[in-house]
Amino acid sequence: MDVRLSPEQVTLRDAARQMVDRLCPQTVAELDDTERAGKLEAAVVASGWLELRTATDDGSPWATGVEVAVVAEELGRGLADTAFLGPTLAADLRRLAGAPPGSTAETIALGADLSEPAVALGGTLGPGAVALDAYEATSALVLLREGDEYAIGTIAVDGGTTSVDLTRPVASCSPGATVSPIEGLHHPLGPDDLARWRGLGLAVTCADLVGVMRGAVTIACDYARSRRQYGAAIGSFQAVQHLLADAYVATEGSASIALHAAWAVDALDGRDALVAASAAKAYCARAARSVCETAIQVHGGIGNTWECLAHVFLRRALLSSEVLGGVGANLARVLAAHGIGGGDGLR
Amino acid sequence: MDFGDSPEELAFRLRLREWLGNNNPGLPPSSTSDEYWAGQAAWHQTLYAAGFFGLSWPKEAGGHGLPSVYEVILDEEIIAAGAPPRPSVGYLVQGLLRHGNEDVQRRFLPGLVSGRDRWCQGFSEPDAGSDLASLRTQAVREGSEYVVTGHKVWTSYSDAADWCLVLARTDPEVPKHRGISAFIVPMGQGAIEQRPIRMINGITREFGEVIFDGARVDASNMVGEPGEGWRLAMTVVSHEREPGELGYVARYGKLVKELVRAVKERPDEHGPESRRDLAWALVEAEMLRCHVSRRLSDRLDGVSHGPEGSVDKLLMTWVEQAVGHAALSIGGAAPTEGDDTWLKVYLYSRAQSVMGGTSQIQRNLIASRILELPIS
Ligand SMILES: Cc1cc2nc3c(=O)[nH]c(=O)nc-3n(C[C@H](O)[C@H](O)[C@H](O)COP(=O)(O)OP(=O)(O)OC[C@H]3O[C@@H](n4cnc5c(N)ncnc54)[C@H](O)[C@@H]3O)c2cc1C
C-alpha cells in the first residue's frame, strides 16, 4: 500500500491547478464573463480531460478513477464553469457497453431527483429527466432497459436550463422524447458494470465536493484574516477559529475517504467499488454542506449576499451532493452492504 | 497510488491472518470491562512474541523496521478476526526514541515494546490540564538521584504500571516551559501512592491519581537533558493524537462489526433511527481507515509530524463519538438482559474529546499552526 499520488498524478494535479487559477471565476461577476468561460472550456477540451474514461484497445479506460478525481477536485476548488462530470460519465458508460466514443459534448441524463440514471422503457423517456452539464451539450445518454440488463441510447437535450448550481447548468429533457439506440454495442450493461459506473459517478462528485470544501475554507480563512471588528481580525476570535478548524478537519476526512473511493473504481469489483463510493459520498455530502455553511457564517452579512462567492460554493456542493444520490441514499447502500435493509429514506 | 497490497504485503497479511485465526484471545472491548486490562497485557506479549507488534518501529527499538503502512494491515486483519486491538504504547516509544539517550533506550525500550513492563504517563495534574506547562510536581537533585514530590491525575493504567513517565519541574527560576524535565520513575516504591478513579461508565482500571511523596528516581532515568521535558511532552502528545499510532482503527472496526451483528440478530428492535446511527458509525470508521492509510503513506518518505496530529485527533474523536451514539441507540439506554456493554461504550466515548488534549485545544492548534489565523 502506498496511497501517495504518483509523480504523473502530481503533474496532472499541478496542470489542473494552474488552469483553474488562470481561467476560473474569481468573483461572482466573472461568472458572466463568457469570453473567460469559453477559454476555460477550450483549455479543458484541449487537455484531453474529457476523454479520460474513453476506452483503450483492451476496453480499459485511458485513465483510472484517481486521475479523474485529481482533475475533478481542482475544478471544484476553482468553481470551474465548464463540463466535466457529464462527459466523463458519458464516456465511461459508452466504454462499459463497448460502444464507439461519442463527442466530448455528450453528457448523461438522470431522473428528476438526480439520484439515478434516466431509464427509457419501450424506447421513450418518462417525464422529469434532466441532463447534467448542459452548456453546449446537444445529446445525453440514457439507459434502455432490457430485462435485467441495459443498453444505451441518446436523446436530444433541448429543454431550458436551470440549476441550483450557478456554475453547472442542468437541462430538462422533453418527456416522451424518442431515444435513439446506439448501434454496435459489444454487450449489454450488467449489474457489475452499472455498479462500477455509479461508483465512478459518486467518486467524481466526492472529489468535486472535496475541491469545493477546500475553496470554501480558503476564502473563509482569507476573510477571517482581513476583516476587523473590535479592533482585531475576526480570525483571532476563538469562536471563529473553531468553526474554521472544524471545517478544515471535515475537509481532510473527506479527502481521505474520497481518495479511497476513486481508487476503488478500477481496483475492486463493481459491487465493492460502489460500496466504497457510497460511504465516501455520504461522508463528503454531509461535510460539504456544513463546510460551505461555515464559509457563509464567517463572512457575516456579506456572506448572505449574491456577490459573495460563499453561496456559489454551497450551491455547487448541493448539486454534486445529489448526483447519483446524497446522504440518505448512500447510507442505505452502506447498510445494505452489511446485510441490513430498511435503510431507505434515511437522512 | 494504491490502497492494495504489494506481493510482500499480501504474504504478510496471509501469515498474520492465519496466526490470528489461532490466537485470538477474545477479550471484551477495552472501554467497558476491567477484565480487558488484565487480558491486554498478555495479548501484548503474545502479539510481540509472534512478531506482530512494533511493525514499523526501528529494529534497535525491538520493532521490525517495516514500512509504516504495515500497521494498517495489522489493524485491518485484527478487525477481520475480531481480535483485541494492538496495545497503545507507540507514543511512549516515539518519545524515548526521539529524546532518550542510548543508555535510556537500551534499558527501557525492550521491556516497553515486548510488553514485559507496563507503563503509564504522569503528565496531567489537578491544576495543570490543558495548561500542562503550569505543572507543579517537583524533582530535586540529591546526589545521584532526584526526589519527586507532587500530584498527578488521570494517569491511565497507573494501577498496573511498573514505570511512570513523569514530567516534573527541575528549575523553578526559568520560564515555565523551560524548567520541566522528564523521568522514568519506578512505581513500586513506598513513596508513591496510587488511587484508582472510577469513570462515568463504572470502570476503575482506566485511570487513577498518583501521589509522589518524596519518590526517588536515579538521575540516569532522566529522558533527554534537564529542561527538555516540554519538548518530550510535545513529541509524546503529538503521537498520542494519531490514530495510526494507537491502533484505534481496529478498535472502532471491531465495535461497529459487533453493532452490525446486534442489529442483524434482532432486526425488529432497531428502527430507522438506530440504523441511521449505525450507518454513520460505519462510514466514520471507514473514513478513519482510509485516513490512516493516507497518513502512514505520507510517512513512507519520512514526512515529519507537525500539527496534523491535531486533525487526526479530531477525526478520531468524531469517529469514536459516532460509534458511541450508534451504541447508545442500538443498546444503550435500554440494556437487554442486564448487559450494559453498549451503554458503557457510549459513556466511554465522551472521554475521547478530553484525553490527549481536548478538542478545543486541538482546534486552537489547527487555527494557529495550520490555518495561520491571527493569535488572539
Ligand atoms: C480517559 C482519560 C485518560 C487520560 N489519561 C491520561 C494519562 O494517561 N496521563 C495524563 O497525564 N493525562 C491523562 N488524561 C488527562 C487529559 O490529558 C486532561 O484531562 C486534558 O488535557 C484536559 O485537562 P483538564 O482535565 O484539566 O481540563 P481543563 O484543562 O480544565 O479543561 C476544561 C474545559 O475547558 C476547556 N479549555 C481549557 N483551556 C482552553 C483554551 N485555552 N481554549 C479553549 N478551551 C479551553 C477544555 O477544552 C475543557 O472543555 C486523561 C484524561 C482522560 C479523560
Side-chain angles (χ1 to χ4, degrees), chain B residues 49-67:
Chain B
F52 293 122
F53 189 61
L55 300 176
S56 63
W57 301 338
K59 289 201 169 125
E60 309 83 81
H64 295 273
L66 289 168

Short mmCIF file of all heavy atoms in Angstrom, two decimals, chain B residues 49-67:
data_model
loop_
_atom_site.label_atom_id
_atom_site.label_comp_id
_atom_site.label_asym_id
_atom_site.label_seq_id
_atom_site.Cartn_x
_atom_site.Cartn_y
_atom_site.Cartn_z
N ALA B 49 5.60 -11.65 20.82
CA ALA B 49 6.37 -12.89 20.69
C ALA B 49 6.19 -13.51 19.30
O ALA B 49 7.10 -14.12 18.75
CB ALA B 49 5.95 -13.88 21.77
N ALA B 50 4.99 -13.31 18.73
CA ALA B 50 4.74 -13.88 17.40
C ALA B 50 5.32 -13.01 16.29
O ALA B 50 5.22 -13.36 15.11
CB ALA B 50 3.24 -14.06 17.21
N GLY B 51 5.88 -11.85 16.65
CA GLY B 51 6.48 -10.99 15.64
C GLY B 51 5.51 -10.04 14.97
O GLY B 51 5.77 -9.55 13.87
N PHE B 52 4.38 -9.76 15.63
CA PHE B 52 3.38 -8.88 15.01
C PHE B 52 3.19 -7.58 15.76
O PHE B 52 2.17 -6.92 15.62
CB PHE B 52 2.05 -9.63 14.88
CG PHE B 52 2.10 -10.77 13.92
CD1 PHE B 52 1.79 -12.07 14.33
CD2 PHE B 52 2.46 -10.56 12.60
CE1 PHE B 52 1.84 -13.13 13.44
CE2 PHE B 52 2.51 -11.61 11.70
CZ PHE B 52 2.21 -12.91 12.12
N PHE B 53 4.16 -7.21 16.58
CA PHE B 53 4.00 -5.93 17.29
C PHE B 53 5.20 -5.04 17.01
O PHE B 53 6.32 -5.52 16.87
CB PHE B 53 3.84 -6.18 18.79
CG PHE B 53 3.46 -4.93 19.53
CD1 PHE B 53 2.27 -4.27 19.22
CD2 PHE B 53 4.29 -4.39 20.50
CE1 PHE B 53 1.91 -3.10 19.88
CE2 PHE B 53 3.94 -3.21 21.16
CZ PHE B 53 2.75 -2.57 20.85
N GLY B 54 4.93 -3.74 16.93
CA GLY B 54 6.02 -2.78 16.66
C GLY B 54 6.51 -2.92 15.23
O GLY B 54 7.70 -2.77 14.94
N LEU B 55 5.59 -3.18 14.31
CA LEU B 55 5.97 -3.48 12.93
C LEU B 55 6.81 -2.37 12.30
O LEU B 55 7.80 -2.65 11.62
CB LEU B 55 4.71 -3.70 12.07
CG LEU B 55 3.82 -4.86 12.52
CD1 LEU B 55 2.56 -4.91 11.66
CD2 LEU B 55 4.58 -6.18 12.46
N SER B 56 6.42 -1.12 12.53
CA SER B 56 7.08 -0.02 11.82
C SER B 56 8.15 0.65 12.67
O SER B 56 8.75 1.63 12.23
CB SER B 56 6.04 1.01 11.37
OG SER B 56 5.42 1.59 12.50
N TRP B 57 8.39 0.16 13.87
CA TRP B 57 9.43 0.78 14.67
C TRP B 57 10.78 0.21 14.29
O TRP B 57 10.90 -0.91 13.81
CB TRP B 57 9.18 0.54 16.16
CG TRP B 57 7.85 1.07 16.60
CD1 TRP B 57 7.12 2.05 15.97
CD2 TRP B 57 7.07 0.63 17.72
NE1 TRP B 57 5.94 2.25 16.65
CE2 TRP B 57 5.88 1.40 17.72
CE3 TRP B 57 7.26 -0.33 18.72
CZ2 TRP B 57 4.90 1.23 18.69
CZ3 TRP B 57 6.28 -0.47 19.68
CH2 TRP B 57 5.12 0.30 19.66
N PRO B 58 11.84 1.01 14.56
CA PRO B 58 13.18 0.53 14.19
C PRO B 58 13.56 -0.75 14.92
O PRO B 58 13.09 -1.01 16.03
CB PRO B 58 14.11 1.67 14.61
CG PRO B 58 13.28 2.71 15.25
CD PRO B 58 11.85 2.35 15.16
N LYS B 59 14.38 -1.54 14.27
CA LYS B 59 14.81 -2.81 14.85
C LYS B 59 15.51 -2.60 16.18
O LYS B 59 15.35 -3.38 17.12
CB LYS B 59 15.73 -3.54 13.88
CG LYS B 59 14.99 -4.07 12.68
CD LYS B 59 15.74 -5.20 11.99
CE LYS B 59 14.85 -5.88 10.96
NZ LYS B 59 15.41 -5.95 9.63
N GLU B 60 16.30 -1.51 16.27
CA GLU B 60 17.02 -1.23 17.53
C GLU B 60 16.04 -1.08 18.68
O GLU B 60 16.39 -1.33 19.83
CB GLU B 60 17.84 0.07 17.44
CG GLU B 60 18.75 0.17 16.25
CD GLU B 60 18.00 0.65 15.01
OE1 GLU B 60 17.78 1.87 14.86
OE2 GLU B 60 17.62 -0.21 14.18
N ALA B 61 14.84 -0.65 18.38
CA ALA B 61 13.87 -0.43 19.45
C ALA B 61 13.05 -1.69 19.73
O ALA B 61 12.10 -1.67 20.50
CB ALA B 61 12.93 0.72 19.06
N GLY B 62 13.40 -2.78 19.08
CA GLY B 62 12.64 -4.00 19.27
C GLY B 62 11.51 -4.14 18.26
O GLY B 62 10.68 -5.03 18.34
N GLY B 63 11.50 -3.23 17.29
CA GLY B 63 10.47 -3.31 16.25
C GLY B 63 10.97 -4.12 15.06
O GLY B 63 11.99 -4.81 15.14
N HIS B 64 10.24 -4.02 13.94
CA HIS B 64 10.58 -4.83 12.78
C HIS B 64 11.09 -4.02 11.60
O HIS B 64 11.38 -4.59 10.55
CB HIS B 64 9.36 -5.66 12.35
CG HIS B 64 8.97 -6.66 13.39
ND1 HIS B 64 9.52 -7.92 13.46
CD2 HIS B 64 8.15 -6.56 14.45
CE1 HIS B 64 9.02 -8.57 14.49
NE2 HIS B 64 8.19 -7.77 15.12
N GLY B 65 11.12 -2.70 11.75
CA GLY B 65 11.66 -1.85 10.69
C GLY B 65 10.90 -1.95 9.37
O GLY B 65 11.46 -1.71 8.31
N LEU B 66 9.62 -2.32 9.42
CA LEU B 66 8.82 -2.42 8.19
C LEU B 66 8.25 -1.04 7.83
O LEU B 66 8.16 -0.17 8.68
CB LEU B 66 7.67 -3.41 8.41
CG LEU B 66 8.07 -4.88 8.52
CD1 LEU B 66 6.89 -5.72 9.03
CD2 LEU B 66 8.54 -5.40 7.17
N PRO B 67 7.84 -0.85 6.56
CA PRO B 67 7.21 0.42 6.20
C PRO B 67 5.97 0.67 7.08
O PRO B 67 5.29 -0.29 7.49
CB PRO B 67 6.81 0.22 4.74
CG PRO B 67 7.71 -0.85 4.23
CD PRO B 67 7.98 -1.75 5.39
#
